[in-house]
Amino acid sequence: MEEESSEGNNASSAYELHTSPTPLERQAVSLSSRRNKHEDDEEECNSYDYSEDCSEDSDDDEEEEMSVKELMYAVNSYHTIAQPVTITMVLAAMAVIYINTQDTIEQGAAQLASTYTVFSLDTDSDSKSTTLAKSFANALVMVCFICALTFVIVILYKFRFMRCLIAYMVYSSAMLLGVLGGVLFDVAIEKYRLPVDTFSFLFALYNFALVGVIAIFYQTGIPPFLTRAYLVATSVIL
């Protein structure tokens, strides 16, 4: 029995020695495991989705591009508005200094005051309370007149009476350029003693108003700078 057990132990130890890996085999196994791990890492790196990063970068670029476009649009809008406003203010100031006189300023103020004056004021005979009541009534009439005109314009716009509105604006622009512009030019002619006959003056004034209405409202075949010039002239005359 002892001999059989010793033979079994020798056989098992021989089997273990036969089946245990040698150092070369261990090194080969470690190298193969490292190679497999490296290949797995490469597959993970290759299979990584870069679309999210690319989309984030593209979003950032689009935001920067939109911000630059918005900035340029704001600058262009400011320049488009500031340029005609500045020209209008300069020309209006020059018209007041070099065209208007003290007589024309007083005459215009008197005409403007008499236009909306329903109750005449007499400070010599009326008492203070009567003068205050008449002034308040005149102011109320002026405010009611402006509110009524505004209400009529809103009603016309609400019910789509666009032809009436266009006709009103065309008529207003024609009268502004023809009548008020004629008064302004007449004052300049009288102040600087310019030799102009009546027929030439009326003919030039008629063409000035007609071309202005066409340039402002029709605009077909009219250069844009001419339309802007008439808009500035309208503001200066006002």
Side-chain angles (χ1 to χ4, degrees):
M1 294 294 290
E2 293 179 355
E3 291 177 356
E4 291 179 357
S5 62
S6 62
E7 289 177 358
N9 293 328
N10 293 328
S12 63
S13 62
Y15 178 76
E16 289 177 356
L17 291 172
H18 180 72
T19 57
S20 61
T22 61
L24 293 175
E25 291 177 350
R26 292 177 181 176
Q27 187 175 3
V29 169
S30 64
L31 290 174
S32 63
S33 63
R34 290 178 183 178
R35 188 181 297 108
N36 293 329
K37 184 177 180 181
H38 182 68
E39 290 177 355
D40 294 336
D41 293 337
E42 286 183 352
E43 289 180 357
E44 290 180 358
C45 292
N46 293 327
S47 63
Y48 182 74
D49 189 8
Y50 292 95
S51 59
E52 295 181 357
D53 295 339
C54 294
S55 62
E56 291 179 358
D57 294 337
S58 62
D59 292 338
D60 294 336
D61 294 338
E62 288 179 358
E63 289 179 358
E64 292 178 358
E65 185 177 0
M66 289 299 294
S67 63
V68 172
K69 288 183 178 179
E70 290 176 357
L71 179 61
M72 295 303 296
Y73 178 77
V75 171
N76 292 329
S77 300
Y78 175 77
H79 181 266
T80 304
I81 296 172
Q83 183 179 4
V85 170
T86 304
I87 294 173
T88 302
M89 294 175 65
V90 171
L91 292 179
M94 292 178 65
V96 171
I97 295 172
Y98 294 104
I99 296 178
N100 278 340
T101 60
Q102 187 65 30
D103 295 335
T104 57
I105 294 174
E106 292 177 357
Q107 184 179 0
Q111 289 178 356
L112 183 63
S114 63
T115 302
Y116 297 100
T117 300
V118 179
F119 303 99
S120 60
L121 301 177
D122 190 0
T123 57
D124 295 333
S125 59
D126 295 337
S127 61
K128 293 182 179 180
S129 59
T130 304
T131 303
L132 181 62
K134 288 182 178 181
S135 301
F136 182 76
N138 290 328
L140 185 62
V141 168
M142 183 174 64
V143 172
C144 291
F145 180 73
I146 296 174
C147 291
L149 288 180
T150 306
F151 180 75
V152 170
I153 293 173
V154 171
I155 291 297
L156 292 175
Y157 181 77
K158 179 177 177 60
F159 291 99
R160 302 300 179 184
F161 291 105
M162 302 305 295
R163 292 184 179 179
C164 296
L165 289 175
I166 292 172
Y168 165 72
M169 289 187 290
V170 169
Y171 176 77
S172 300
S173 297
M175 291 298 103
L176 176 65
L177 294 172
V179 177
L180 295 182
V183 172
L184 182 65
F185 295 147
D186 183 62
V187 171
I189 290 170
E190 290 182 357
K191 183 176 181 179
Y192 294 101
R193 304 294 182 180
L194 300 176
V196 179
D197 61 289
T198 304
F199 177 78
S200 300
F201 177 74
L202 294 177
F203 182 76
L205 196 61
Y206 172 78
N207 285 278
F208 176 73
L210 181 62
V211 175
V213 171
I214 295 173
I216 293 173
F217 294 99
Y218 190 62
Q219 297 183 358
T220 302
I222 304 297
F225 74 89
L226 188 60
T227 302
R228 292 193 292 266
Y230 268 103
L231 292 174
V232 171
T234 302
S235 302
V236 171
I237 292 172
L238 281 175

